[in-house]
Amino acid sequence: MRRALVGRDEVFDQAWRSLGEPGQVLLEGPAGIGKTALLRALTAEAARSGWLVLSCAPTECEAELPFAALADLLRPLADLAAELPRPQRIAAETVLVTGDSDETIDERVIGAATRSLLEAALASGRPVLLAVDDAPWLDRPSERALRFALRRVGPGPATLVSSRSASGPAVPAAPLGLDAGSGRLTRLEVTPLGVNALHHVLRERVGAGLDRPLLARIAREAGGNPLVAIEVARAVQRLPKPPEPAQELPVASSMHQLLADVLAELPARCRDAVRLAALLSVPLLRDLTAAGVGPRAFDAAEEAGLLAVTPARVEFTHPVYAAAVRAGIPPGVRRGLHRRLAGVVADPDERVRQLAACTTGADPVVADALAAAAVRQHTRGAPDAAANLYEAAARLTPADDRPTLGQRLLAAARCRFDCGDHPGARTAADEVAASFTGHVRAEALLLRAVVAWSADEPGGTALAAAGRALAATQPDSLLAGRIHAHLALFVDLPDPARTHAESAIALLSGPGGDRELLAAALLHLFNSEVRAGAPPRTELLDRALAMEGPEPSWLAGTIPAVWWKGIDDPDRARDRLTRLLDRAAARGDEPSQYELLKHLGETELLAGRWSMAQRHIAAARDLGELLGTELTAETWLTGLLDALRGRLDAAAQVAEAGVRLGEDLDDDWCRRIHLQLGAFVALCAGRVADAAAGYGRLAALVDRMGLAEPLAQRFEPDWIEACVAAGDLATARVALHRLTERHRRLPRPWTLLGLARSRALLDSAEGGDPSAALDDLAAARAAVAPHVLPLDRARCLLVAGVVHRRLRRKRPAREALTAAAAEFDALGAAAFAARARAEAARLGGRPPAPSALTATEERVARLAALGRTSRAIADELFVSPKTVETNLSRVYRKLGISRRAELNAALARVSADAVSAGGHKG
């Protein structure tokens, strides 16, 4: 049930903590806001946790049925009624309709029986939750009995009640007298859902996906109320086509009819006032008074519950009411009302909106005013509103003013992209490109390319659109320089990417050049040279970083982080990505957040922080679904995480589907990442021949593309391991030469560890003396900090154990394999841990005895030994830092140490003791 609860994690957690004290919780909010769903989720959680749940959900039609709600609530306690004193037993049986008596029951006895049953339930030792959904509909006898019992029961049950919010500033009394007793009452307002949460609700309840601007409009019109949003979404689905941005959303027919009936009964002057208020973005009394409508004009509507008049403004009881009023105004009448408001409203943006609504033909003055308002809205961080204004300005722009018309349509398309509406931006850019020539066409095609890239559109869509944009503009223009800077990103091959980056730098370095794009072009030149195998010119990186300022271009903002994670500097990569993510979140830039979350997920995977990686990947998937992307990268990252954690079947499915997708789309990047994933899964599953073949296909593809240094793909050590295991030593030697060259060009911790592992395996397989290789392996592992590449370091131990076992050196083999298994366990690398234990089992003897540490203590200790901070360990294990410190204190005491620096040696002694214990019998 909790998984189905969307957008309520915080209030759920608050309520659950309060109930666990045990305490009293009141969920408040308007009808349809989701109180019932939240209450049901909490009761389901209580039931799963072994609580006794007593609940009722009264309805309006049951309000006149005495004890209907109380009977539902007490029914699980029916068997306890037989133990009550006779008057109470008869009262309880009467309420539960389990007995037949002619005696008159005193209502106070029913209250006493309710109290006694609750106390009997509490005496069982189980936590008890009493839950009442929609308390205002409790029948009065049930309400009084419960109020009586709750005021008198001892250290009582946890109590959970939902109720509709009352209007007005005063805090209403809580149902059942919860605020009058001695227990602490937690009042929680169930607030409107945001766009992201409503997206999930509508997808589940309505079934169809909605583009983000339409979803935002539904959320706004529904006031974040999921029930109302569902009805509005269903009404939208019944339309022959989605509504245009300037069109009103349909109102659910039942709500429309309800409002039509209410409005029809209002006096004409009041109805006119309500219409004027509904047509204002913010119905301020000063504007309404200027339009000739005073506060008294709303009396009848206020009495009908349609709206409320405050000292400053008119507030509709629900936003849908205002939408229904607007939908019912005849078009001619509506234009007249808009004209009337346009002449009196004080806010310039509101005046422009009213003018646009009453103007039916081309009008350059109104169009200019709309465009100016669009600029203001975009500046204020409202690109969706700006897009609507630009489109309205374009509709009122004279047809013969083609340059202005094109620029306004192009600006609207850009705003669609800025607010995350990829489908809307795609359509708008295509329409502008098809309708205009020259500079406007080139700009539209460049935007089309950006949308394609950001939305993970298939094939070479982005590259093709940018190529057409370049052909549509002057080759020596600044626009051409901007297009070259984008092509440096879109081209996956290093040599063409380098050419585009050099052209961009040449064109953007002169007067009027874009400094941010120039920095991006420098970063792409640096990146493409590295990928082509050239020595890294870090001076290009430093120059770009000095030039880019606080807001790097999205074109290359992640390149420094990609470089740093490629050279195994996760701290710098994480720091840059996190800073960029915070800035993107602050400005509401969801496309950038989406990209950054994916990079953060990969960074944490390499750093061995897999729980954190999972959070980033899940967040990226949620954003990707909202933005309408193909979800390729986050699906691949999920598959990689599954493989690392030993969920090989799930990872294999991702790899197979991804390779097919790459073939269908002729997308080399998609092919590469999924070929590597598939080969890695095969290696983990022991299908070494399949793994060797998969890595061979990957190497051939990388070579065909001219990628001498594919920074993100570090596959050669695994290829060598697969070839050695499959007996193909010749290919293993070829792969070793390839890895040696990569290390010579750019030494990194992963190449150092990979070379050491590979040489030890090959020397052992070829029958030579691997002693020197084993020494090199130990030295390489010691040279790499534990927090940098924890999985690779643990795999070095695994290889050392395998090589020692083949040499019949049982003691060092068992030491290495035992330590490897412990490090794999700390990471959660189930498949590798199982393999280490399987190799150890081949040594014979008794399995290693467990240490005195508990499983939690040992995992905390292993992670601390890897260099994790308490906060990082807490994030990894989903516990508090205090819990981590408590476990470490127990570990120190059990191991006889006093600080973290001693953990590695102490854990090694534990492993050695286990080995010794396992070797007594052989």
Side-chain angles (χ1 to χ4, degrees):
M1 184 71 187
R2 172 108 188 245
R3 287 194 298 272
L5 194 64
V6 177
R8 303 297 189 199
D9 285 350
E10 184 175 349
V11 69
F12 181 100
D13 291 337
Q14 285 182 270
W16 184 248
R17 285 195 298 270
S18 296
L19 292 173
E21 293 178 357
Q24 299 172 329
V25 174
L26 174 60
L27 304 176
E28 298 176 286
I33 200 67
K35 302 184 300 296
T36 294
L38 181 57
L39 183 140
R40 288 176 179 171
L42 287 162
T43 56
E45 183 71 15
R48 279 195 298 271
S49 300
W51 293 29
L52 173 62
V53 177
L54 309 174
S55 65
C56 62
T59 62
E60 182 178 0
C61 62
E62 295 172 341
E64 300 303 318
L65 297 177
F67 301 117
L70 186 62
D72 290 341
L73 190 140
L74 296 179
R75 189 157 289 116
L77 307 180
D79 291 342
L80 300 176
E83 304 299 320
L84 297 178
R86 184 178 181 278
Q88 293 184 24
R89 174 175 57 79
I90 294 173
E93 290 172 348
T94 300
V95 168
L96 295 167
V97 198
T98 57
D100 194 12
S101 173
D102 295 330
E103 295 182 27
T104 301
I105 307 297
D106 190 314
E107 190 176 44
R108 290 171 294 181
V109 178
I110 293 177
T114 302
R115 173 188 175 181
S116 296
L117 287 172
L118 292 176
E119 289 177 339
L122 289 166
S124 69
R126 290 174 66 189
V128 177
L129 173 62
L130 189 151
V132 179
D133 190 18
D134 223 349
W137 293 123
L138 279 168
D139 59 272
R140 290 300 302 278
S142 293
E143 193 274 343
R144 286 193 290 269
L146 284 171
R147 183 186 290 264
F148 176 93
L150 290 174
R151 289 285 300 273
R152 292 162 175 80
V153 75
T159 307
L160 175 64
V161 176
S162 73
S163 180
R164 297 183 188 180
S165 300
S167 58
V171 178
L176 299 174
L178 295 180
D179 51 354
S182 58
R184 188 175 71 85
L185 173 63
T186 301
R187 301 183 83 128
L188 297 176
E189 184 73 18
V190 183
T191 56
L193 287 177
V195 175
N196 290 5
L198 279 177
H199 166 74
H200 289 281
V201 171
L202 294 179
R203 185 176 60 184
E204 178 182 348
R205 297 292 298 276
V206 180
L210 301 170
D211 64 52
R212 188 165 181 78
L214 181 55
L215 185 65
R217 292 178 64 198
I218 290 174
R220 187 166 56 249
E221 291 284 358
N225 187 305
L227 185 61
V228 177
I230 288 167
E231 292 303 317
V232 175
R234 286 172 176 159
V236 167
Q237 287 186 320
R238 290 193 288 270
L239 295 174
K241 64 176 184 177
E244 297 292 334
Q247 289 179 316
E248 294 290 345
L249 291 178
V251 181
S253 57
S254 57
M255 190 72 72
H256 190 285
Q257 186 59 51
L258 172 63
L259 266 294
D261 294 343
V262 173
L263 287 169
E265 296 176 0
L266 296 177
R269 183 167 180 271
C270 180
R271 186 162 57 251
D272 184 53
V274 171
R275 286 172 169 175
L276 285 168
L279 291 175
L280 284 167
S281 298
V282 180
L284 297 173
L285 283 179
R286 69 182 186 194
D287 292 333
L288 291 164
T289 300
V293 174
R296 296 294 300 275
F298 294 99
D299 286 352
E302 193 166 19
E303 186 176 347
L306 182 62
L307 49 76
V309 180
T310 71
R313 57 181 290 178
V314 171
E315 295 180 350
F316 284 88
T317 308
H318 197 282
V320 168
Y321 291 177
V325 171
R326 291 192 295 268
I329 306 174
V333 173
R334 180 166 179 162
R335 284 193 296 274
L337 294 172
H338 280 302
R339 193 172 297 111
R340 181 174 163 188
L341 290 168
V344 298
V345 293
D347 182 75
D349 289 337
E350 182 66 17
R351 177 178 176 273
V352 166
R353 199 180 74 82
Q354 298 296 334
L355 277 173
C358 66
T359 305
T360 56
D363 188 322
V365 174
V366 176
D368 288 347
L370 283 164
V375 172
R376 288 195 297 272
Q377 291 297 338
H378 194 267
T379 302
R380 293 169 184 166
D384 51 346
N388 295 337
L389 288 165
Y390 275 125
E391 288 166 355
R395 284 193 294 273
L396 299 182
T397 300
D400 57 357
D401 188 358
R402 297 286 294 170
T404 303
L405 177 61
Q407 289 298 334
R408 285 171 178 169
L409 289 171
L410 187 59
R414 289 186 178 124
C415 288
R416 294 280 169 224
F417 175 74
D418 289 345
C419 67
D421 179 13
H422 288 171
R426 180 185 304 131
T427 300
D430 283 339
E431 290 175 353
V432 175
S435 304
F436 293 83
T437 59
H439 181 87
V440 172
R441 171 177 166 79
E443 290 278 14
L445 287 168
L446 178 57
L447 175 61
R448 180 66 185 88
V450 170
V451 173
W453 179 264
S454 300
D456 284 346
E457 288 188 39
T461 307
L463 186 60
R468 295 200 304 274
L470 194 60
T473 193
Q474 295 295 322
D476 57 350
S477 64
L478 288 175
L479 176 55
R482 290 173 48 219
I483 296 170
H484 278 297
H486 285 76
L487 281 165
L489 168 66
F490 299 155
V491 176
D492 197 27
L493 302 177
D495 288 336
R498 178 164 51 185
T499 300
H500 284 300
E502 290 170 342
S503 297
I505 292 168
L507 291 170
L508 296 173
S509 294
D514 187 316
R515 186 179 176 87
E516 284 187 3
L517 275 182
L518 177 57
L522 288 167
L523 288 172
H524 277 296
L525 179 58
F526 167 75
N527 188 51
S528 58
E529 287 182 350
V530 169
R531 295 174 79 221
R537 289 201 287 161
T538 54
E539 65 271 16
L540 289 174
L541 176 64
D542 295 337
R543 180 183 166 196
L545 290 173
M547 182 183 294
E548 67 180 8
E551 293 291 342
S553 168
W554 70 270
L555 281 177
T558 58
I559 284 179
V562 170
W563 165 251
W564 288 324
K565 71 183 175 184
I567 61 172
D568 299 320
D569 191 347
D571 293 336
R572 291 183 75 185
R574 183 184 301 115
D575 179 66
R576 180 174 177 88
L577 292 169
T578 301
R579 283 190 290 108
L580 293 178
L581 181 64
D582 290 343
R583 289 172 182 163
R587 64 178 182 267
D589 181 356
E590 290 184 334
S592 292
Q593 293 177 62
Y594 171 64
E595 289 298 322
L596 292 163
L597 284 165
K598 290 186 290 184
H599 281 290
L600 272 168
E602 187 176 10
T603 299
E604 300 299 13
L605 280 179
L606 291 172
R609 293 157 48 106
W610 296 346
S611 296
M612 188 62 70
Q614 183 175 1
R615 296 185 202 179
H616 293 316
I617 296 166
R621 178 176 289 278
D622 284 346
L623 266 182
E625 288 178 348
L626 281 172
L627 294 172
T629 70
E630 298 298 323
L631 306 179
T632 305
E634 51 269 54
T635 301
W636 162 68
L637 286 169
T638 300
L640 180 55
L641 181 57
D642 281 337
L644 291 168
R645 286 175 164 170
R647 296 193 282 264
L648 301 182
D649 289 343
Q653 291 176 6
V654 170
E656 291 164 7
V659 170
R660 287 195 301 270
L661 180 65
E663 296 297 337
D664 292 344
L665 302 180
D666 193 24
D667 185 325
D668 284 337
W669 170 78
C670 187
R671 284 193 194 100
R672 283 192 287 123
I673 61 174
H674 289 100
L675 277 173
Q676 184 172 358
L677 175 60
F680 182 69
V681 170
L683 179 63
C684 292
R687 294 184 285 105
V688 292
D690 291 343
Y695 285 123
R697 289 175 61 197
L698 173 60
L701 175 58
V702 168
D703 291 344
R704 177 174 63 76
M705 295 176 64
L707 282 176
E709 183 47 63
L711 270 177
Q713 292 194 284
R714 37 184 78 184
F715 62 90
E716 287 87 355
D718 289 345
W719 187 15
I720 294 165
E721 182 177 332
C723 288
V724 169
D728 185 359
L729 302 187
T731 303
R733 278 290 171 190
V734 171
L736 180 62
H737 175 73
R738 183 190 191 100
L739 177 58
T740 303
E741 283 300 297
R742 290 188 73 176
H743 183 68
R744 180 189 61 78
R745 283 194 302 266
L746 186 59
R748 286 149 284 176
W750 81 261
T751 57
L752 176 67
L753 295 175
L755 273 175
R757 273 170 45 206
S758 301
R759 286 170 176 158
L761 283 172
L762 259 174
D763 285 357
S764 175
E766 290 175 339
D769 182 2
S771 298
L774 286 170
D775 290 341
D776 291 342
L777 183 60
R781 179 178 147 85
V784 176
H787 73 282
V788 174
L789 290 171
L791 180 65
D792 291 51
R793 294 179 80 257
R795 292 182 70 182
C796 288
L797 288 173
L798 175 58
V799 166
V802 169
V803 173
H804 280 304
R805 180 186 59 75
R806 290 173 181 168
L807 295 171
R808 302 183 185 279
R809 301 172 180 171
K810 288 192 174 184
R811 184 181 182 86
R814 194 180 299 279
E815 288 176 349
L817 293 170
T818 301
E823 292 191 13
F824 290 138
D825 284 340
L827 287 167
F832 284 109
R835 183 178 165 196
R837 291 191 172 90
E839 291 286 348
R842 296 174 68 178
L843 294 169
R846 185 191 305 169
S851 74
L853 303 180
T854 66
T856 300
E857 290 167 353
E858 184 160 358
R859 188 153 191 216
V860 167
R862 295 287 178 189
L863 288 170
L866 290 174
R868 299 280 205 278
T869 64
S870 293
R871 169 60 65 183
I873 298 170
D875 290 341
E876 185 80 12
L877 302 181
F878 296 99
V879 297
S880 69
K882 184 176 180 181
T883 300
V884 172
E885 293 297 335
T886 299
N887 276 277
L888 281 175
S889 296
R890 290 198 294 266
V891 168
Y892 295 162
R893 185 174 66 254
K894 290 181 179 181
L895 299 183
I897 61 177
S898 59
R899 53 198 178 95
R900 289 187 182 218
E902 300 174 90
L903 271 173
N904 269 315
L907 290 172
R909 286 196 301 273
V910 169
S911 297
D913 291 344
V915 170
S916 177
H920 289 318
K921 290 185 179 180

